[in-house]
Amino acid sequence: MTQTEKYIWLIDTIYKAKKISLEDISQQWRDYMGLNVDEKLHRATFNRWKDEIYMQFGIIISCQRVGGYKYYIENPEVIEENKLNKWMLDTIATGNLINNNISVSTRILVNKIPSGNVHLKSIIHSLKNNIRIEITYQQFDRESHTFPVDPFCLKLFENRWYVLARNNWGQIKLYCLDRILEVVFYDEHFEVPEDFNAEEYFAPYYGIIRNERPERIVIRAYDVHRHYMASLPLHDSQRLIEDTGEYSDFELTVAPTYDLVMKLLSFGAMIEVIEPVSLRDTMRGWVSELYEMYKK
């Protein structure tokens, strides 16, 4: 178990408990690690981890002295409002849990991310240090090309990693990591534009395509699927505007891109696009093509 995994375990334990004593933390640590009853998480070790957690993640673990000494996350918004922190916490905590129950690993199924471990480390190093890199990139059914890029951010979508980067033609484009054949570091740095914000860049969109303007979209979910859509929103802007018991209408402010249309089509007859008319027409066109393909 790495130090980072230990820190994540401690954050996860305190976050889930809301408030917890050091004695209870130590007991959970013994249970988690399969330690003997006389072994414990020493206070000095706990304090050292607590300080490192603040330094690395900006998460403050404080102590409530009234009614008994209990520890809690003073700034839970750092976890709840930061998507990367929340994703990392959930991912590593889940990984730790599975690793400690390796005997049932063949009965726990996950999706494979093709490009997850190939060039991800190099791209993150470039992001962290603003180092220009040269990539050899090969799109499907095309010859490979080698050119320099300045990575701005990483995005995970549909089990694939993408890097948003500025190329040597001054274009800001997305490159899929599993289509990168080679990465070479330059001995030079670059500057990310001061006004660039990765979250805001993708905020009005579902997925990775940005060729449409965001607009108000109303989606009607029928029967039990209305509960699925409520529990796992399609987009951060999604909100419930009506629930009749038979269907629910959800409003989103998002661009009607190809990625969104493909997602909506995957729900079949469980959802219906109510507004705008242009998106209904797009959906109708796809459904008509599918009908023609399968009617014979």
Side-chain angles (χ1 to χ4, degrees):
M1 195 178 197
T2 67
Q3 281 301 122
T4 299
E5 289 171 337
K6 292 175 183 178
Y7 301 153
I8 293 294
W9 176 87
L10 183 58
I11 296 169
D12 187 57
T13 299
I14 298 175
Y15 180 72
K16 288 179 177 176
K18 305 298 184 185
K19 294 181 181 179
I20 186 172
S21 67
L22 181 57
E23 181 181 352
D24 287 340
I25 292 173
S26 186
Q27 178 62 54
Q28 289 197 34
W29 179 247
R30 280 197 298 270
D31 294 342
Y32 185 77
M33 295 298 294
L35 303 175
N36 296 326
V37 68
D38 57 337
E39 297 181 86
K40 64 179 182 179
L41 181 64
H42 295 284
R43 182 175 293 278
T45 300
F46 171 77
N47 287 332
R48 187 170 64 252
W49 289 7
K50 181 164 64 72
D51 293 342
E52 284 297 320
I53 285 169
Y54 175 70
M55 293 294 292
Q56 291 192 30
F57 305 105
I59 296 173
I60 303 171
I61 298 175
S62 296
C63 182
Q64 172 188 284
R65 292 173 171 79
V66 179
Y69 287 81
K70 291 191 175 182
Y71 292 90
Y72 64 97
I73 305 294
E74 183 177 322
N75 54 342
E77 66 277 1
V78 173
I79 299 171
E80 295 162 358
E81 297 177 8
N82 186 304
K83 289 183 179 180
L84 179 59
N85 278 350
K86 186 69 169 65
W87 178 83
M88 183 171 60
L89 177 62
D90 291 344
T91 301
I92 297 180
T94 301
N96 285 348
L97 182 63
I98 293 173
N99 191 51
N100 265 37
N101 294 277
I102 201 69
S103 62
V104 294
S105 63
T106 58
R107 294 157 62 187
I108 302 173
L109 307 179
V110 297
N111 291 331
K112 180 181 178 182
I113 300 178
S115 54
N117 295 315
V118 181
H119 298 299
L120 188 59
K121 184 177 180 180
S122 296
I123 300 297
I124 290 177
H125 180 73
S126 172
L127 287 174
K128 184 177 180 180
N129 299 283
N130 284 356
I131 299 176
R132 179 165 291 137
I133 59 175
E134 179 184 81
I135 63 171
T136 300
Y137 194 73
Q138 184 170 24
Q139 293 178 296
F140 296 136
D141 300 323
R142 296 187 185 181
E143 293 184 0
S144 63
H145 294 277
T146 301
F147 51 91
V149 296
D150 301 334
F152 284 3
C153 73
L154 279 162
K155 182 175 177 63
L156 180 63
F157 178 66
E158 299 289 359
N159 292 328
R160 293 184 190 274
W161 280 106
Y162 296 84
V163 58
L164 181 72
R166 180 177 54 206
N167 59 33
N168 57 321
W169 299 284
Q171 302 166 319
I172 298 177
K173 298 185 65 176
L174 274 170
Y175 300 97
C176 186
L177 265 62
D178 63 6
R179 292 168 218 163
I180 295 177
L181 305 181
E182 186 179 8
V183 174
V184 176
F185 288 94
Y186 278 94
D187 189 20
E188 56 185 281
H189 293 74
F190 67 91
E191 295 292 331
V192 178
E194 290 185 4
D195 60 350
F196 176 78
N197 182 298
E199 194 76 30
E200 292 177 359
Y201 187 86
F202 288 104
Y205 306 93
Y206 175 86
I208 59 171
I209 298 175
R210 300 177 71 255
N211 60 356
E212 301 282 351
R213 291 180 178 275
E215 55 184 293
R216 180 178 182 268
I217 295 173
V218 177
I219 297 171
R220 178 166 296 171
Y222 292 100
D223 299 323
V224 70
H225 192 72
R226 71 187 200 278
H227 301 301
Y228 284 102
M229 195 160 170
S231 62
L232 188 62
L234 280 174
H235 189 259
D236 288 343
S237 66
Q238 178 178 308
R239 69 181 187 91
L240 177 68
I241 55 178
E242 184 180 13
D243 186 355
T244 68
E246 295 181 2
Y247 65 81
S248 294
D249 284 349
F250 297 92
E251 180 186 72
L252 300 83
T253 302
V254 63
T257 61
Y258 173 85
D259 287 337
L260 180 65
V261 171
M262 291 300 102
K263 183 64 175 180
L264 296 177
L265 285 170
S266 72
F267 296 133
M270 293 183 290
I271 65 101
E272 178 185 0
V273 173
I274 304 301
E275 299 178 30
V277 173
S278 58
L279 183 54
R280 282 183 64 89
D281 291 341
T282 299
M283 296 288 289
R284 185 182 298 112
W286 276 98
V287 172
S288 297
E289 289 184 22
L290 285 170
Y291 174 75
E292 291 298 322
M293 182 183 295
Y294 286 104
K295 73 176 181 179
K296 296 180 182 179

